[in-house]
Amino acid sequence: MKYISTRGQAPALDFEQVLLTGLASDGGLYVPETLPRFSHEDIIEMASMDYPQLAQRIIEPFVGDAIPAADLQQIIADTYAVFRHNAVAPLTQIGHNQWVLELFHGPTLAFKDFALQLLGRLLDYVLERRHQKVVIMGATSGDTGSAAIEGCKRCKNIDIFILHPHERVSDVQRRQMTTVTGDNIHNLAVQGNFDDCQAMVKASFGDRSFLPSDRSLVAVNSINWARIMAQIVYYFYAAVALGAPMRPVAFSVPTGNFGDIFAGYLAREMGLPVAQLIIATNRNDVLHRVMTTSTYGRQALQYSLSPSMDITVSSNFERLLFDLYDRDGDAIAALMREFEHGDVHLSDKAMGRARNLFSSYRVPDEETCAQIAATWNECEYLLDPHSAIGVKAALASGLSADIPVVTLATAHAAKFPQAITRSGINTEPALPLHLADLFDRPERFEVLPLELSAVQAFMANNLSA
Ligand SMILES: *Cc1c(COP(=O)(O)O)cnc(C)c1O
């Protein structure tokens, strides 16, 4: 399998190379040159597979001959064995043809574990084989950092440095990062905000000379192709459980960077009958505005009760644009250049295609809290604020009652107690048993000034041998 850049100028890469790369050298994102297709009969066979078996079936064609099948099988088995539910991604019914796909049974209680547990293991496997070590650097406002740290904590060949804005992430989220100990794990609390942290990461990827020449820098944000790949699996898993391929299924996806929902788009391109993909956003509604006005434009960031969706730009949207523009890399490069300077108007043809499959809905905080309360009162089921946005959008979608709608529950309610309190219901979400002592565990992090040179010097001085 070959991977090509959405901007058409970077060299094509194989799976191993794409795993170790972030952005393409032309500024684009890597996508598979062709997609595997599953027939009606192939999908019928999936009904008998458990989660790891299905993951193997979906992921194998993307990996190609980069990893022998038996080794890949072991990696996948290890990855999903750390999830604390026997079904890995169980479905719960909350209304007539309304379903919730629980993606929060991994170590950090958010769906990012599905991809980052796999990514850590894939990286360690190929690095071991190449006798190579790498440095992972990332900025986080919450979920990505802890999932990346959990995914890489046992990786001998990776030093991981996660920057978070000092005193600006929630206690649960900080502790999920800072209580994981290991010589290769470094939490840097930067005296700035999330954008400052991200700017430092970006600058470091732009000039890597602060690191020794044999240590490359790897990205773990959702521009990394392997993350998207891992997320395709649970769309198939849920749809098949609800009667696909005989019955089409719709999905409602709490969306920030467009990574998760893009995996749903790929599942459909690979043959899964998906009736609709609902883009559910909070008040940071860049994607809802694209869908309703055909204009892609930044607006100022607004903090919300669903912080993991507080974004101004959805980087993975470029991957969809590439298909909507007939995979014309020059056209995408031109659009993204225009976007650097201001709003971009998308063509009627492209938007017509997008609207055939996607719909969108914007859910402000009050409606999020109202949905948490409503679902609690109707079935004593506690949604986290991100998942509540998904459920609200699913209920508002106006799909015909014979189509099952699956909302992706992207986090466990105990991660975001503030929203639960605000919704006025009389219950407190408890952390699952494996995290019950989170607030008693010792923390380790380094407070650093808002200076690129200080961060880079810390990294260079703390690499493993
Ligand atoms: C990251 C995250 C999202 C957004 O996912 P994208 O792939 O960026 O669209 C939604 N909910 C939670 C809880 C998250 O951690």
Side-chain angles (χ1 to χ4, degrees), residues 110-112 143 254-260 308-309 384 386 410-411 416:
F111 84 96
K112 291 184 171 71
D143 292 343
T255 298
N257 229 340
F258 206 75
D260 205 5
S308 301
M309 291 155 63
D384 101 289
H386 306 81
T410 50
F416 303 97

Side-chain angles (χ1 to χ4, degrees), residues 109-112 142-144 173 222 227-228 231 234 253-262 280 287 306-311 314 316 384-387 408-412 415-416:
L109 315 182
F111 84 96
K112 291 184 171 71
D143 292 343
T144 305
Q173 289 185 318
S222 58
R227 282 188 57 181
I228 308 280
Q231 293 167 192
Y234 47 70
V253 187
T255 298
N257 229 340
F258 206 75
D260 205 5
I261 197 166
F262 184 69
L287 292 167
S306 42
S308 301
M309 291 155 63
D310 288 346
I311 45 89
S314 295
N316 282 292
D384 101 289
H386 306 81
S387 312
L408 273 48
T410 50
H412 190 289
K415 270 193 113 158
F416 303 97

